[in-house]
Amino acid sequence: MPSYTVTVTTGSQWFAGTDDYIYLTLVGSKGCSEKHLLDKAFYNDFERGAIDSYDITESEDIGDIQLLKLEKHKYWYKDDWYCRHITVKTPSGDYLEFPCYRWITNDKEVVLREGKAKLSRDDVTQVLKQHRRKELQERQKLYRWKEWYPGFPLSIDAHSHSDLPHDIQFDSEKGVDFILNYTKAMENLFVNSFMHMFQSSWNDFADFEKIFVRISNTISEYVMQHWKEDFMFGYQFLNGCNPVMITKCKKIPANFPVTNEMVECSLERNLTLEQEIEKGNIFIVDYHLLDGISANKTDPCTMQYIAAPICLLYKNLENKIVPIAIQLNQEPGPENPIFLPSDAHYDWLLAKIWVRSSDFHVHQTISHLLRSHLLSEVFAIALYRQLPAVHPVFKLLIHHVRFTIAINTKAREQLICECGLFDKANATGGGGHVELLLRAMKYFTYESLCLPEAIQMRGMENTEEIPYYFYRDDGLKVWEATQNFVRDVVNIYYASDQIVCEDEELQAFVKDVFVYGLRDNKESGFPKVIKTKDKLIEYLTLVIFTASGQHAAVNFGQYDWCSWIPNSPPTMRQPPPTEKGVVTIEFIIESLPDRGRSCWHLGAVWALSQFQDNEIFLGYYPDEHFVEKSVKEAMVKFRKNLEEITSFIQDRNKNKKLPYYYVSPDRIPNSVAV
């Protein structure tokens, strides 16, 4: 009589264990086993983190095992169970792995396949084909597209975190409650005492230190000490928390009439402005997307303002990027002067503050929300809807969408919704952030999400001409390591371009992203079909890098660069100056956020900069969806490459006053989860 040993591993997260009855059935090529109750006498089965083994005997040979069925029946009360994986030792001594990694929540049967990744073309038996179809049909009922706001990328059909399928919820909802986290952050930062003075101004710049001193670190403290200096202003375009805006200037825009006479005292090479442009020493940052965006009107007691500046930058003889001209709105004219370093001290300082405030809005709404959070959610929903768990692309990407749908649902519930936390401190609150995101959709392209192409499009690729652009240097290394890993995995399962073309599930995934997630926007340049292995490798690299390296680059530096409020004001309470020579220190303080908004802002950037509990970093895959040795070897190689990048970054950062580590692999979470 054939006997099998079944080993069941229960998850280690809170409440993963169960006291319910667990039944197992093996489906073989010659028939099914009996339904076995997995239970040991005088033993508490399926405790959190437990590994339990059971011997089962069959009266007849059931052939090669194809599927494994699990059923959970209620013992006393609702008691969900998280099953990690099941190993079956066959009568011949072989070990079969059945990855599960999901919550079993009711009396419904869960059917698992053996862990080897398979394309649909590899399935020959009707049993396996039918299982594949049924899994996707059930998932498509659970994971539905929904329009949260007209014109936005589509998102998950769920009003709140608790509406989501259990498998994609956070282990502890409390841990990602924005209101709770921001309040907790303000308590930790000892800024609660200022909240009762919500609309009152600070007295001077030093007054901001009252909410800053509680937690200090190298970078934020350095910012506080040097934020007024031109080199610090310019440095942030390269290595701050929004290093994706700066572009090499090929020609001065018609609406930004900077002349050689205006800037000649800033140019150090005895060249004209035109000659400096030809030499590649002039750069530009243009916030035209903010032009005409509605400012926050949710507080009738406080007027708030938005500008749409253009900033011209210069690479000086020390290879530092410094500002040489700033115009605070798009339309040139006598009431929109071009501010210069040679102007009065406070005129120039306020112009730079306005640029920093504008950068904050574009960073939060476009670089962070749209281009990492919302895009990663699109990939996640399409993944669950179109790729079965046995598909190699599902196994490859599942780690990179962990908690993404959950964090975005929480954000829609509490953060970016009407009267949400975004409205409290930000000038783009009250609807401006929605207008801005819709406007940014027109510039949201596939090419701009492929890091090598994005860097080239902005003319920032030359490492000799622009030597201190660490976001570019580190990001490209991580992109290349990720691409090599993806190539190794793709080569295992796709022997030719033809197999890519014929993979209907893969094509359905790509189509779902384009047609539903991105609203059939042909201008985006996103593919509707993928015809080659090379294109598939690039596409999957983009998915992984967006969720990992790119999100890390724009997220985890927020406390470093934005906690000193004058360096990154979330709102401005006076309009941009329309003439020179009138700005005073008092006017600047009246323009900067009041005490209450400063506190909300500080709580927000602190909370957003923290890693999740039990964070999983790039290259680490504790859930073993892949069981093949070849893929595990590719993972080891990937980790080794990432460790070399980490070592390189650590060596470079030694003794630096401003270390750059946001794209260091040991600080890049696998997915967008905060």
PDB file of all heavy atoms in Angstrom, residues 656-671:
ATOM      1  N   LYS A 656      31.747  61.101   3.621  1.00  0.00           N
ATOM      2  CA  LYS A 656      30.989  62.135   2.909  1.00  0.00           C
ATOM      3  C   LYS A 656      30.046  62.844   3.872  1.00  0.00           C
ATOM      4  O   LYS A 656      29.366  62.209   4.665  1.00  0.00           O
ATOM      5  CB  LYS A 656      30.171  61.511   1.769  1.00  0.00           C
ATOM      6  CG  LYS A 656      30.910  61.407   0.464  1.00  0.00           C
ATOM      7  CD  LYS A 656      29.924  61.198  -0.683  1.00  0.00           C
ATOM      8  CE  LYS A 656      30.638  60.951  -1.995  1.00  0.00           C
ATOM      9  NZ  LYS A 656      31.595  61.974  -2.357  1.00  0.00           N
ATOM     10  N   LYS A 657      30.008  64.174   3.775  1.00  0.00           N
ATOM     11  CA  LYS A 657      29.052  64.918   4.597  1.00  0.00           C
ATOM     12  C   LYS A 657      27.629  64.678   4.113  1.00  0.00           C
ATOM     13  O   LYS A 657      26.670  64.751   4.873  1.00  0.00           O
ATOM     14  CB  LYS A 657      29.386  66.410   4.550  1.00  0.00           C
ATOM     15  CG  LYS A 657      30.684  66.751   5.272  1.00  0.00           C
ATOM     16  CD  LYS A 657      31.052  68.208   5.068  1.00  0.00           C
ATOM     17  CE  LYS A 657      32.378  68.503   5.755  1.00  0.00           C
ATOM     18  NZ  LYS A 657      32.889  69.853   5.421  1.00  0.00           N
ATOM     19  N   LEU A 658      27.505  64.433   2.819  1.00  0.00           N
ATOM     20  CA  LEU A 658      26.192  64.134   2.242  1.00  0.00           C
ATOM     21  C   LEU A 658      26.242  62.764   1.564  1.00  0.00           C
ATOM     22  O   LEU A 658      26.348  62.675   0.338  1.00  0.00           O
ATOM     23  CB  LEU A 658      25.801  65.209   1.223  1.00  0.00           C
ATOM     24  CG  LEU A 658      25.273  66.528   1.781  1.00  0.00           C
ATOM     25  CD1 LEU A 658      25.101  67.538   0.660  1.00  0.00           C
ATOM     26  CD2 LEU A 658      23.963  66.323   2.516  1.00  0.00           C
ATOM     27  N   PRO A 659      26.173  61.680   2.319  1.00  0.00           N
ATOM     28  CA  PRO A 659      26.171  60.348   1.698  1.00  0.00           C
ATOM     29  C   PRO A 659      24.887  60.144   0.902  1.00  0.00           C
ATOM     30  O   PRO A 659      23.837  60.674   1.252  1.00  0.00           O
ATOM     31  CB  PRO A 659      26.225  59.403   2.902  1.00  0.00           C
ATOM     32  CG  PRO A 659      25.645  60.182   4.032  1.00  0.00           C
ATOM     33  CD  PRO A 659      26.009  61.610   3.794  1.00  0.00           C
ATOM     34  N   TYR A 660      24.991  59.401  -0.196  1.00  0.00           N
ATOM     35  CA  TYR A 660      23.791  59.073  -0.989  1.00  0.00           C
ATOM     36  C   TYR A 660      23.584  57.564  -0.923  1.00  0.00           C
ATOM     37  O   TYR A 660      24.412  56.789  -1.399  1.00  0.00           O
ATOM     38  CB  TYR A 660      23.949  59.513  -2.452  1.00  0.00           C
ATOM     39  CG  TYR A 660      22.673  59.289  -3.241  1.00  0.00           C
ATOM     40  CD1 TYR A 660      21.619  60.186  -3.155  1.00  0.00           C
ATOM     41  CD2 TYR A 660      22.502  58.154  -4.032  1.00  0.00           C
ATOM     42  CE1 TYR A 660      20.427  59.977  -3.838  1.00  0.00           C
ATOM     43  CE2 TYR A 660      21.321  57.931  -4.716  1.00  0.00           C
ATOM     44  CZ  TYR A 660      20.285  58.850  -4.611  1.00  0.00           C
ATOM     45  OH  TYR A 660      19.101  58.636  -5.271  1.00  0.00           O
ATOM     46  N   TYR A 661      22.468  57.151  -0.316  1.00  0.00           N
ATOM     47  CA  TYR A 661      22.256  55.704  -0.114  1.00  0.00           C
ATOM     48  C   TYR A 661      20.831  55.241  -0.444  1.00  0.00           C
ATOM     49  O   TYR A 661      20.478  54.108  -0.174  1.00  0.00           O
ATOM     50  CB  TYR A 661      22.579  55.320   1.338  1.00  0.00           C
ATOM     51  CG  TYR A 661      22.052  56.286   2.384  1.00  0.00           C
ATOM     52  CD1 TYR A 661      20.695  56.426   2.622  1.00  0.00           C
ATOM     53  CD2 TYR A 661      22.932  57.064   3.131  1.00  0.00           C
ATOM     54  CE1 TYR A 661      20.217  57.321   3.575  1.00  0.00           C
ATOM     55  CE2 TYR A 661      22.464  57.963   4.087  1.00  0.00           C
ATOM     56  CZ  TYR A 661      21.105  58.087   4.301  1.00  0.00           C
ATOM     57  OH  TYR A 661      20.632  58.970   5.233  1.00  0.00           O
ATOM     58  N   TYR A 662      20.020  56.101  -1.062  1.00  0.00           N
ATOM     59  CA  TYR A 662      18.614  55.720  -1.285  1.00  0.00           C
ATOM     60  C   TYR A 662      18.465  54.586  -2.292  1.00  0.00           C
ATOM     61  O   TYR A 662      17.469  53.870  -2.276  1.00  0.00           O
ATOM     62  CB  TYR A 662      17.794  56.936  -1.726  1.00  0.00           C
ATOM     63  CG  TYR A 662      17.975  58.124  -0.812  1.00  0.00           C
ATOM     64  CD1 TYR A 662      18.512  59.318  -1.274  1.00  0.00           C
ATOM     65  CD2 TYR A 662      17.655  58.016   0.541  1.00  0.00           C
ATOM     66  CE1 TYR A 662      18.715  60.389  -0.430  1.00  0.00           C
ATOM     67  CE2 TYR A 662      17.860  59.087   1.399  1.00  0.00           C
ATOM     68  CZ  TYR A 662      18.390  60.268   0.910  1.00  0.00           C
ATOM     69  OH  TYR A 662      18.600  61.319   1.757  1.00  0.00           O
ATOM     70  N   VAL A 663      19.448  54.442  -3.203  1.00  0.00           N
ATOM     71  CA  VAL A 663      19.359  53.360  -4.188  1.00  0.00           C
ATOM     72  C   VAL A 663      20.419  52.298  -3.884  1.00  0.00           C
ATOM     73  O   VAL A 663      20.844  51.555  -4.762  1.00  0.00           O
ATOM     74  CB  VAL A 663      19.484  53.907  -5.632  1.00  0.00           C
ATOM     75  CG1 VAL A 663      18.953  52.891  -6.641  1.00  0.00           C
ATOM     76  CG2 VAL A 663      18.699  55.199  -5.808  1.00  0.00           C
ATOM     77  N   SER A 664      20.825  52.216  -2.628  1.00  0.00           N
ATOM     78  CA  SER A 664      21.700  51.124  -2.203  1.00  0.00           C
ATOM     79  C   SER A 664      20.834  49.884  -1.986  1.00  0.00           C
ATOM     80  O   SER A 664      19.824  49.957  -1.274  1.00  0.00           O
ATOM     81  CB  SER A 664      22.404  51.506  -0.907  1.00  0.00           C
ATOM     82  OG  SER A 664      23.257  50.475  -0.488  1.00  0.00           O
ATOM     83  N   PRO A 665      21.168  48.750  -2.617  1.00  0.00           N
ATOM     84  CA  PRO A 665      20.283  47.579  -2.568  1.00  0.00           C
ATOM     85  C   PRO A 665      19.873  47.132  -1.165  1.00  0.00           C
ATOM     86  O   PRO A 665      18.760  46.624  -0.985  1.00  0.00           O
ATOM     87  CB  PRO A 665      21.103  46.498  -3.274  1.00  0.00           C
ATOM     88  CG  PRO A 665      21.930  47.261  -4.254  1.00  0.00           C
ATOM     89  CD  PRO A 665      22.298  48.532  -3.551  1.00  0.00           C
ATOM     90  N   ASP A 666      20.743  47.358  -0.171  1.00  0.00           N
ATOM     91  CA  ASP A 666      20.371  46.938   1.181  1.00  0.00           C
ATOM     92  C   ASP A 666      19.329  47.861   1.806  1.00  0.00           C
ATOM     93  O   ASP A 666      18.842  47.625   2.904  1.00  0.00           O
ATOM     94  CB  ASP A 666      21.603  46.860   2.085  1.00  0.00           C
ATOM     95  CG  ASP A 666      22.315  48.198   2.230  1.00  0.00           C
ATOM     96  OD1 ASP A 666      22.219  49.040   1.315  1.00  0.00           O
ATOM     97  OD2 ASP A 666      22.975  48.412   3.269  1.00  0.00           O
ATOM     98  N   ARG A 667      18.943  48.933   1.076  1.00  0.00           N
ATOM     99  CA  ARG A 667      17.914  49.855   1.550  1.00  0.00           C
ATOM    100  C   ARG A 667      16.752  49.966   0.566  1.00  0.00           C
ATOM    101  O   ARG A 667      15.950  50.900   0.655  1.00  0.00           O
ATOM    102  CB  ARG A 667      18.515  51.254   1.755  1.00  0.00           C
ATOM    103  CG  ARG A 667      19.458  51.345   2.957  1.00  0.00           C
ATOM    104  CD  ARG A 667      20.195  52.676   2.928  1.00  0.00           C
ATOM    105  NE  ARG A 667      21.008  52.853   4.125  1.00  0.00           N
ATOM    106  CZ  ARG A 667      20.697  53.700   5.112  1.00  0.00           C
ATOM    107  NH1 ARG A 667      19.594  54.409   5.047  1.00  0.00           N
ATOM    108  NH2 ARG A 667      21.489  53.829   6.151  1.00  0.00           N
ATOM    109  N   ILE A 668      16.697  49.046  -0.393  1.00  0.00           N
ATOM    110  CA  ILE A 668      15.616  49.072  -1.388  1.00  0.00           C
ATOM    111  C   ILE A 668      14.620  47.961  -1.070  1.00  0.00           C
ATOM    112  O   ILE A 668      14.914  46.782  -1.294  1.00  0.00           O
ATOM    113  CB  ILE A 668      16.157  48.857  -2.820  1.00  0.00           C
ATOM    114  CG1 ILE A 668      17.152  49.945  -3.207  1.00  0.00           C
ATOM    115  CG2 ILE A 668      15.010  48.817  -3.818  1.00  0.00           C
ATOM    116  CD1 ILE A 668      17.798  49.726  -4.576  1.00  0.00           C
ATOM    117  N   PRO A 669      13.436  48.278  -0.556  1.00  0.00           N
ATOM    118  CA  PRO A 669      12.433  47.225  -0.368  1.00  0.00           C
ATOM    119  C   PRO A 669      12.008  46.639  -1.717  1.00  0.00           C
ATOM    120  O   PRO A 669      12.068  47.313  -2.752  1.00  0.00           O
ATOM    121  CB  PRO A 669      11.265  47.961   0.302  1.00  0.00           C
ATOM    122  CG  PRO A 669      11.889  49.171   0.925  1.00  0.00           C
ATOM    123  CD  PRO A 669      12.994  49.564  -0.009  1.00  0.00           C
ATOM    124  N   ASN A 670      11.573  45.396  -1.691  1.00  0.00           N
ATOM    125  CA  ASN A 670      11.140  44.715  -2.912  1.00  0.00           C
ATOM    126  C   ASN A 670       9.943  45.377  -3.574  1.00  0.00           C
ATOM    127  O   ASN A 670       9.746  45.256  -4.781  1.00  0.00           O
ATOM    128  CB  ASN A 670      10.753  43.263  -2.593  1.00  0.00           C
ATOM    129  CG  ASN A 670      11.883  42.293  -2.848  1.00  0.00           C
ATOM    130  OD1 ASN A 670      12.745  42.544  -3.676  1.00  0.00           O
ATOM    131  ND2 ASN A 670      11.886  41.177  -2.127  1.00  0.00           N
ATOM    132  N   SER A 671       9.099  46.047  -2.764  1.00  0.00           N
ATOM    133  CA  SER A 671       7.827  46.529  -3.307  1.00  0.00           C
ATOM    134  C   SER A 671       7.446  47.869  -2.691  1.00  0.00           C
ATOM    135  O   SER A 671       8.024  48.313  -1.700  1.00  0.00           O
ATOM    136  CB  SER A 671       6.722  45.505  -3.035  1.00  0.00           C
ATOM    137  OG  SER A 671       6.539  45.346  -1.632  1.00  0.00           O
TER     138      SER A 671
END
